[in-house]
Every structure is written in structure tokens, then in C-alpha cells.
């Protein structure tokens, strides 16, 4: 254990090692994809610094190359990152006491940082605010570093990268499988898949995603209202 | 696409993400309760979104022509099997992608 001046960052580093591996790897995949799409490592650096949202940034590559409208971009971001609204809820009280770091703490609350912060019990001889700040900050450093390295690798190491864009598909398949572990997720995932496929067939590859997302959301709300009504009737 | 427009797209994505992350602090910071439907969607919607995104990733695959999407089908199965078996995100994505790259570069 590191003592003295660096004990907070040392403790935070220790807690974030799993995220480091994940973010470096996924960040590199993102940087490579962006480089493949014709955007240098500077773009990867910029995106990871000011957006800092994994899944969204992968989709961003397709938005940049697809020439979509800004409204489309905004709606996609709101859908894909919508879950982030809920992470903040657990930290409202805590973060308000963070002083100067407060805005950054809010900005940097990703899925992974959220789960590390939730699972971290800060020892009594340490300042929880400092530990929380370093965890958040280190996580973003890994992500930015990975993205930039990926972009640089794509630029300077020449290899046949055909098919590397499959890493994005693989990422989402993995997330679906992880979510599938929870029973409640099944119906939602099935609705998403059905809406996706049906709207793909109707509207075609370039225009299906927003209607599909909207329809999935409506279907879920509808089902929820129905089951709430039935619960009410059975009582 | 022009540099300016690319920057705009990134700016919009950034602002929307910041808006979402700041939302609970701005709105629910006080004593206000989160609306029930919003709470429900927060739990129920993510799997649907991820499933749509899988379809989105595979939107360009033509199952009727060319290689019939066989590289995609094989590689998705490899990712899924690896992930169910080993539960290691990096391994599943890494090997799945390598598998796909080999298939499209060498086999199909």
C-alpha cells in the first residue's frame, strides 16, 4: 500500500485496474475504427475527452461517416446514453459536497466508473472525496489514452484492418448477453431485436434505427401500463 | 464530410451526454421523486437498445447475396459462445473480432 501524499491516487489506481484493462482495450478499438474511417488520432483524443461514453462513441464513428443530421445525432445520443440519468441519482448528495471537482464528477460518471464507485469502501484514514475524484479521473485517462493509442496504431502500423469494425458488433453482443443474465431483460431484448429487424426491413439500413428505438420504447411503456392495470384489477 | 460538420456532430454528442449526466443533479437534486415511468424505462429500456444496436451493426449484411452473412453469423456465435463460457469481455470481443477478420480476409 502506498503511504503519504500519494495514498489516495494509489488506492484509486488499485480499484480501477479492471477498468484500466477494459478501457485501454476498447479505447484502442475505438481509435482504430475512427482512424479507419479517415479520422486521425486527434479526433479520437477529442471525442474521448469531451464525449467520454463508450457505446456512443462506437456509434459515433458510423454517424460521422454516414453524414447524418445533428438532430439524428442528438436523438441517438439521448437514446444510447439515456441510462446515465440513473447513475447520478445515487450520488446526488455525495457529489454536491465535492467542491471544485463537482462538475467533473458529474461529467465523468460512466457505467464503469459508476460501478467502481458503488463498490468502493474508502478506508477511514483517507478522504473519500479525493479517492472518488482519482477513480473518476484515472478511468477517463485510460479511455483517452487507449483511444489515442488506437488512432496512432492505425496510422503508423500498417496491417490489413478489414473487418476490425466487427469489434463494435462484438461489444454489443457481449452487452446483450450480460444483460440476458437478468430475467427481466429477456422481454426487453426480444422487443428490441424484433423492432430492429422489422424496421430494418421496412425503412432500410440508413433510416431504421430511430423508429426502431422509439417503437421499442413505446412497446415497453405500453406493456408496463397493461401489467400495472392487471395488478390493479387483481387486488 | 467537412471538418466543421464533424466537429459539430461531436459537440452535439458531447452536449447531449453531459445533459443526461447532469440531469439528475439539476432536476432530482432536491426532494423530488423520479417519475415512475422514467424509473421503469431506466431498468427496462437498456436491453432493448442494445439489441437494436446489434441489428444496427449488422444492417449492411446481405443474407441473400454474396457470402450470405456467413462470416457475421459465425463470428457472432463465437463471441456469444466465448462469453457464455468464459465471461471475459476482452477475450470475447478480441477473439471474436480476430475470427471475423480472418474469415473476411482469408476465407470469404
Amino acid at each position: 500500500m502506498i503511504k503519504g501524499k500519494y495514498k489516495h491516487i494509489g488506492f484509486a489506481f488499485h480499484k480501477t485496474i479492471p477498468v484500466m484493462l477494459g478501457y485501454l482495450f476498447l479505447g484502442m478499438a475505438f481509435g482504430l475504427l475512427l482512424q479507419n474511417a479517415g479520422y486521425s488520432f486527434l479526433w479520437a483524443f477529442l471525442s474521448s475527452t469531451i464525449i467520454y461514453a463508450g457505446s456512443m462513441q462506437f456509434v459515433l464513428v458510423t454517424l460521422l461517416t454516414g453524414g447524418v443530421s445533428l438532430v439524428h445525432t442528438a436523438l441517438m445520443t439521448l437514446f444510447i446514453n439515456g441510462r446515465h440519468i440513473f447513475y447520478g441519482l445515487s450520488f446526488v448528495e455525495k457529489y454536491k459536497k465535492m467542491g471544485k471537482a463537482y462538475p467533473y464528477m458529474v461529467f465523468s460518471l460512466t457505467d464503469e466508473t459508476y460501478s467502481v464507485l458503488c463498490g468502493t469502501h474508502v478506508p477511514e484514514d483517507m478522504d473519500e472525496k479525493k479517492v472518488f475524484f482519482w477513480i473518476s479521473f484515472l478511468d477517463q485517462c485510460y479511455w483517452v489514452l487507449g483511444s489515442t493509442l488506437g488512432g496512432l496504431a492505425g496510422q503508423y502500423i500498417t496491417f490489413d484492418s478489414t473487418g476490425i469494425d466487427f469489434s463494435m458488433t462484438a461489444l454489443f453482443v457481449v452487452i446483450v448477453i450480460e444483460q440476458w443474465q437478468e430475467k427481466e431483460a429477456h422481454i426487453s431484448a426480444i422487443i428490441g431485436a424484433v423492432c430492429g429487424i422489422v424496421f430494418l426491413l421496412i425503412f432500410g439500413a440508413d433510416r431504421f434505427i430511430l423508429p426502431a428505438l422509439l417503437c421499442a420504447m413505446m412497446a415497453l411503456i405500453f406493456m408496463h401500463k397493461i401489467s400495472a392495470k392487471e395488478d390493479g384489477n387483481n387486488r | 464530410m467537412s471538418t466543421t460538420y464533424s466537429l459539430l456532430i461531436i459537440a452535439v454528442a458531447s452536449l447531449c451526454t453531459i445533459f443526461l449526466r447532469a440531469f439528475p443533479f439539476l432536476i432530482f437534486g432536491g426532494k423530488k421523486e423520479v417519475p415512475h415511468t422514467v424509473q421503469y424505462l431506466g431498468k427496462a429500456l437498456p436491453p432493448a437498445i442494445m439489441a437494436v444496436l446489434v441489428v444496427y451493426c449488422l444492417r449492411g449484411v446481405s443474407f441473400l447475396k454474396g457470402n450470405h452473412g456467413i462470416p457475421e453469423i459465425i463470428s457472432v456465435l463465437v463471441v456469444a459462445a466465448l462469453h457464455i463460457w468464459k465471461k471475459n469481455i476482452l477475450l470475447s470481443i478480441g477473439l471474436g473480432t480476430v475470427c471475423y477478420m480472418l474469415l473476411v480476409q482469408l476465407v470469404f
Side-chain angles (χ1 to χ4, degrees):
Chain A
M1 193 56 90
I2 306 170
K3 295 262 189 275
K5 228 168 109 182
Y6 300 108
K7 71 177 178 184
H8 293 103
I9 189 171
F11 181 77
F13 175 71
H14 186 75
K15 287 286 168 193
T16 56
I17 288 173
V19 177
M20 177 176 72
L21 296 175
Y23 272 15
L24 284 176
F25 176 86
L26 278 178
M28 285 183 77
F30 164 72
L32 264 173
L33 277 189
L34 203 57
Q35 159 69 26
N36 260 359
Y39 292 84
S40 77
F41 70 94
L42 289 172
W43 289 93
F45 175 82
L46 176 75
S47 311
S48 294
T49 305
I50 70 170
I51 303 177
Y52 187 32
S55 310
M56 179 55 213
Q57 283 180 237
F58 277 85
V59 174
L60 176 81
V61 180
T62 68
L63 298 181
L64 283 170
T65 51
V68 299
S69 73
L70 296 179
V71 175
H72 182 107
T73 307
L75 289 173
M76 288 288 284
T77 311
L78 293 175
F79 262 111
I80 297 173
N81 287 339
R83 65 188 186 286
H84 287 214
I85 283 184
F86 301 92
Y87 298 152
L89 289 176
S90 341
F91 289 115
V92 170
E93 293 311 315
K94 208 169 253 181
Y95 275 17
K96 286 201 162 158
K97 298 176 197 136
M98 292 284 299
K100 266 190 246 163
Y102 175 43
Y104 180 73
M105 296 304 289
V106 174
F107 162 76
S108 60
L109 196 54
T110 60
D111 310 58
E112 287 74 11
T113 298
Y114 173 76
S115 64
V116 173
L117 291 180
C118 285
T120 297
H121 300 284
V122 180
E124 276 181 19
D125 64 328
M126 286 191 201
D127 182 350
E128 189 185 56
K129 287 179 214 155
K130 282 187 185 160
V131 171
F132 271 38
F133 170 76
W134 283 118
I135 287 176
S136 300
F137 184 68
L138 284 174
D139 280 354
Q140 188 174 15
C141 289
Y142 307 144
W143 180 246
V144 172
L145 182 67
S147 316
T148 312
L149 286 177
L152 282 170
Q155 203 158 332
Y156 293 109
I157 305 167
T158 42
F159 64 103
D160 186 352
S161 57
T162 311
I164 197 146
D165 51 335
F166 188 80
S167 55
M168 173 165 149
T169 318
L171 169 69
F172 294 133
V173 169
V174 164
I175 296 176
V176 167
I177 292 172
E178 297 245 307
Q179 290 172 336
W180 193 262
Q181 313 296 328
E182 283 192 45
K183 257 204 164 134
E184 295 85 31
H186 292 190
I187 186 74
S188 169
I190 291 168
I191 287 179
V194 171
C195 288
I197 293 166
V198 168
F199 281 87
L200 175 63
L201 294 175
I202 300 174
F203 289 108
D206 295 333
R207 267 182 299 226
F208 83 98
I209 185 151
L210 287 177
L213 287 168
L214 259 174
C215 181
M217 187 174 84
M218 305 296 275
L220 282 168
I221 292 176
F222 182 70
M223 272 181 27
H224 183 60
K225 298 270 181 220
I226 298 268
S227 67
K229 218 176 202 174
E230 276 175 3
D231 280 357
N233 291 342
N234 291 341
R235 236 168 250 161
Chain B
M1 198 183 296
S2 77
T3 306
T4 318
Y5 197 71
S6 299
L7 284 173
L8 274 174
I9 287 195
I10 291 175
V12 167
S14 167
L15 287 175
C16 291
T17 307
I18 291 171
F19 166 75
L20 289 168
R21 288 184 184 148
F23 192 74
F25 295 90
L26 300 173
I27 305 298
F28 306 126
K31 303 247 171 340
K32 274 186 214 160
E33 277 275 302
V34 186
H36 187 69
T37 312
V38 178
Q39 268 186 24
Y40 163 74
L41 281 180
K43 268 195 137 173
L45 199 52
I49 291 176
M50 289 303 150
V52 173
L53 285 177
V54 171
V55 178
Y56 179 71
C57 289
L58 299 171
R59 69 194 183 286
V61 182
S62 47
F63 292 95
L64 303 175
K65 290 178 298 207
N67 57 31
H68 303 282
I70 293 168
E72 282 81 7
I73 295 169
I74 295 177
S75 309
V76 165
L77 290 177
V78 166
V79 172
L82 270 174
H83 201 67
I84 292 164
W85 179 35
K86 288 285 182 187
K87 297 194 193 312
N88 180 329
I89 296 178
L90 304 187
L91 187 81
S92 316
I93 297 177
L95 280 184
T97 306
V98 168
C99 163
Y100 181 78
M101 289 173 76
L102 292 176
L103 284 175
V104 290
Q105 286 180 21
L106 304 175
V107 185
F108 290 93

